Amino acid sequence: MRIPLVAGNWKLNGTRASIKELVEGLQSGISAIKKTQVAVCPPYVYLNEVGQMLADGPGPIAMGSQDVSAEDSGAFTGEVAGTMIREMGCAYAIVGHSERRSIYGESDELTARKFAAARRHGLKPILCVGETLQEREQNITEKVVARQIDAVIDLEGIDAFKDAVIAYEPVWAIGTGMTATPEQAQEVHAFIRGRIAAEDQSVADGLQILYGGSVKGNNAEELFAKPDIDGGLIGGASLAAGEFLTICQAAD
Ligand code: PGA
């Protein structure tokens, strides 16, 4: 059986004070979560502080970064390396989030290199994949998702997915309140698992595939009930401790 994972993607939100309050809120309710792995992904500048709080308080709550540089060191102004992220106590790194792809023009190839950089430094990549509304309407969802996954397989090989997570996040569902129906999500999750299984069945069986896109406390349970949905990557609803814990409970 795959253990569920629920990860909060805080994006570009929070202040020192609000983040402290959020972490304390999560810590006060975490003992009710029995088997689900819980992680939070703060902005880079708060990783150190959040890492300290998570290490010193009730848990377990893991930490991830929202991105990682494909480079390890050198003249790359503004980048943050996997070594640094690992040193702050992160276990995960999100790569290829649709906002990175669409707003910052990050390609499948760059995303695959970031995936490789995360692994090189002992971080579990959470590879985000998903189609835009236009691509869904053109009926090319599977083609798009396959291309995004194949870029990683081409660079790193299928074994790389032994230590990775995939998050299916239809772009049209992110931050819009338009959640994919459980059936729509399950269909793509099954496709993703099948794609991995075509290369290696045991890797596919063990792979956590998360759904992301307007997951809330009141729709999480029906999504997580689907056989190939192993948890969620949560944006907006991860910024309130109570709601995020409700989602973790649904995964439990
Ligand atoms: P959302 O974001 O939950 O606010 O839709 C999900 C994500 O972008 O990871």
Side-chain angles (χ1 to χ4, degrees), residues 46-233:
Y46 298 121
L47 287 179
N48 189 37
E49 227 159 303
V50 172
Q52 291 290 340
M53 286 186 77
L54 295 180
D56 295 343
I61 302 174
M63 188 169 69
S65 59
Q66 299 175 14
D67 191 14
V68 57
S69 179
E71 311 295 341
D72 289 345
S73 68
F76 302 102
T77 303
E79 290 287 274
V80 178
T83 45
M84 301 168 182
I85 292 166
R86 184 80 192 124
E87 204 175 21
M88 293 300 113
C90 283
Y92 297 95
I94 297 172
V95 299
H97 190 279
S98 69
E99 287 148 18
R100 301 297 323 167
R101 294 178 189 265
S102 69
I103 305 172
Y104 301 101
E106 297 188 5
S107 64
D108 294 334
E109 290 66 33
L110 179 62
T111 299
R113 289 178 55 227
K114 290 184 168 195
F115 183 105
R119 290 188 67 248
R120 217 163 38 240
H121 301 297
L123 297 162
K124 210 176 218 201
I126 301 176
L127 172 70
C128 299
V129 299
E131 81 289 2
T132 63
L133 185 57
Q134 199 188 14
E135 289 164 340
R136 173 159 286 261
E137 284 168 350
Q138 290 169 353
N139 259 317
I140 55 171
T141 296
E142 292 186 353
K143 191 174 153 203
V144 169
V145 168
R147 191 198 71 218
Q148 292 168 334
I149 293 173
D150 289 354
V152 173
I153 298 177
D154 289 348
L155 185 70
E156 286 282 271
I158 193 65
D159 278 356
F161 283 96
K162 274 184 195 157
D163 250 324
V165 175
I166 292 180
Y168 168 58
E169 300 204 306
V171 178
W172 49 272
I174 295 177
T176 58
M178 254 171 68
T179 323
T181 64
E183 292 69 32
Q184 280 175 323
Q186 166 60 25
E187 196 180 356
V188 183
H189 280 236
F191 170 76
I192 292 170
R193 201 176 304 285
R195 186 96 191 166
I196 300 291
E199 305 278 332
D200 189 315
Q201 185 67 50
S202 76
V203 172
D205 289 342
L207 180 66
Q208 289 166 317
I209 307 179
L210 312 183
Y211 169 78
S214 298
V215 179
K216 307 282 177 225
N218 61 11
N219 61 20
E221 201 163 324
E222 52 175 8
L223 286 159
F224 299 164
K226 291 292 176 191
D228 288 297
I229 303 183
D230 307 312
L233 182 57

